[in-house]
Amino acid sequence: MSDWQQRMKSGSETLHKQAVRLPLPDREAERSVHENMMRIAAAGKRKSQLLADPDVPLTEVYEDELTDMRKSFQHRLQQVAGEDYYEVATAYLDGNRDDWIGALAAYYLECYYRLQERYTVDEQIFCLVILRYPESFTVNLSFLTGDISAPGVRYESSKHVEDDLDGDDREQLYADCQYSQAKASEYLRENVGCIRHAFPDPDTTPFEQRPYGGFVHITGRQGATFGEVLDTLQPSPDRFEDSPSAPGLVPEGPAAKRAKEAYLGDTTVVS
């Protein structure tokens, strides 16, 4: 076990069931968040297109998605804590600092390392909840083991099937997997709009139409079966009474809890 894995275990109580809250003090900050959400939506559209292409193996689709997410978290780490983000995060988990920069660095770095493991670790669920409030937004990430209970969409990967099939059986398996991936492509294409709707352009949308919004995105794998949920999520209007002056960690809100109860079965936190 690496030093960081040991630190993640020791810091799991600190980081478990928490969200990052970031202030939105002005139009420029809102515009930056909107642009980032459009990049997430574009990644969802790209995933839909790759799933629909019979010449692209599902392993490549999955790796493309994880690479994009890893780059995003590394960028956030460098924004928050600079090039020495590893030292900043470990100092926070070791109790040598307790500022918001250390807290966010630890939160983002744990997510970055968890994402490194996702391609090889079976039965791990990634749950992302992003919620928009009048003067802030929250990002809540969870890494869980268990099952996705909501309908969402499920699709198969012939690369992950362990059965030794030949001839017609192998061709039928490949056809079934391609069909399920096509249905997943259709699902994502129809639902990716919920991201754009939750974070509209502040330059073209009146403020009265954009104070609250959000979405939940859940992905997971059990053997050869992949599951995914992408849906609108409404935040609780009375969640916050204050205006944040700086980013920081807050307990996960009721909307995130409702999403996990609605979309996930019996799950446990990855330690």
Side-chain angles (χ1 to χ4, degrees), residues 109-245:
L109 191 57
E110 176 172 357
C111 293
Y112 177 78
Y113 272 83
R114 296 293 189 198
L115 287 170
Q116 302 278 55
E117 301 173 346
R118 282 195 67 217
Y119 188 72
T120 56
V121 176
D122 198 358
E123 298 186 357
Q124 188 175 112
I125 297 168
F126 172 71
C127 177
L128 169 65
V129 172
I130 301 182
L131 300 172
R132 166 78 162 88
Y133 299 89
E135 297 176 319
S136 65
F137 73 101
T138 61
V139 180
N140 175 245
L141 300 111
S142 302
F143 293 85
L144 310 161
T145 57
D147 188 30
I148 300 173
S149 60
V153 67
R154 283 178 168 78
Y155 48 104
E156 307 289 323
S157 167
S158 58
K159 293 281 187 180
H160 289 83
V161 174
E162 297 180 357
D163 293 337
D164 186 15
L165 302 177
D166 295 315
D168 293 343
D169 289 337
R170 170 59 63 179
E171 290 184 8
Q172 184 61 51
L173 170 67
Y174 181 79
D176 291 343
C177 290
Q178 288 299 310
Y179 177 78
S180 68
Q181 291 171 35
K183 298 299 288 184
S185 171
E186 180 182 347
Y187 173 85
L188 287 177
R189 185 171 63 253
E190 292 176 351
N191 286 274
V192 75
C194 73
I195 301 175
R196 301 187 183 95
H197 180 74
F199 292 87
D201 188 344
D203 293 329
T204 59
T205 308
F207 180 79
E208 294 76 14
Q209 298 179 21
R210 65 178 199 273
Y212 297 99
F215 68 91
V216 55
H217 187 202
I218 301 172
T219 62
R221 175 170 74 90
Q222 287 191 325
T225 302
F226 291 72
E228 193 147 359
V229 173
L230 178 58
D231 201 1
T232 297
L233 189 62
Q234 290 299 323
S236 302
D238 57 352
R239 171 78 169 98
F240 300 111
E241 296 180 355
D242 64 322
S243 301
S245 58

Side-chain angles (χ1 to χ4, degrees), residues 23-34 137:
L24 292 174
D26 50 38
R27 180 74 62 85
E28 183 178 353
E30 285 193 62
R31 188 180 301 113
S32 177
V33 173
H34 164 73
F137 73 101

Side-chain angles (χ1 to χ4, degrees), residues 45-111:
K45 181 179 179 181
R46 183 174 69 250
K47 182 177 180 179
S48 170
Q49 293 171 336
L50 291 174
L51 283 169
D53 189 340
D55 295 326
V56 179
L58 184 53
T59 49
E60 291 186 19
V61 178
Y62 200 46
E63 184 58 37
D64 180 82
E65 180 182 39
L66 293 183
T67 298
D68 186 68
M69 294 172 72
R70 285 194 295 262
K71 288 180 179 178
S72 176
F73 277 108
Q74 188 171 43
H75 176 67
R76 292 177 194 177
L77 279 163
Q78 292 171 336
Q79 280 188 316
V80 168
E83 294 297 329
D84 296 328
Y85 56 79
Y86 181 88
E87 288 75 15
V88 173
T90 53
Y92 177 82
L93 288 179
D94 289 344
N96 295 325
R97 61 185 298 165
D98 61 358
D99 59 314
W100 69 264
I101 295 177
L104 262 62
Y107 189 96
Y108 285 143
L109 191 57
E110 176 172 357
C111 293

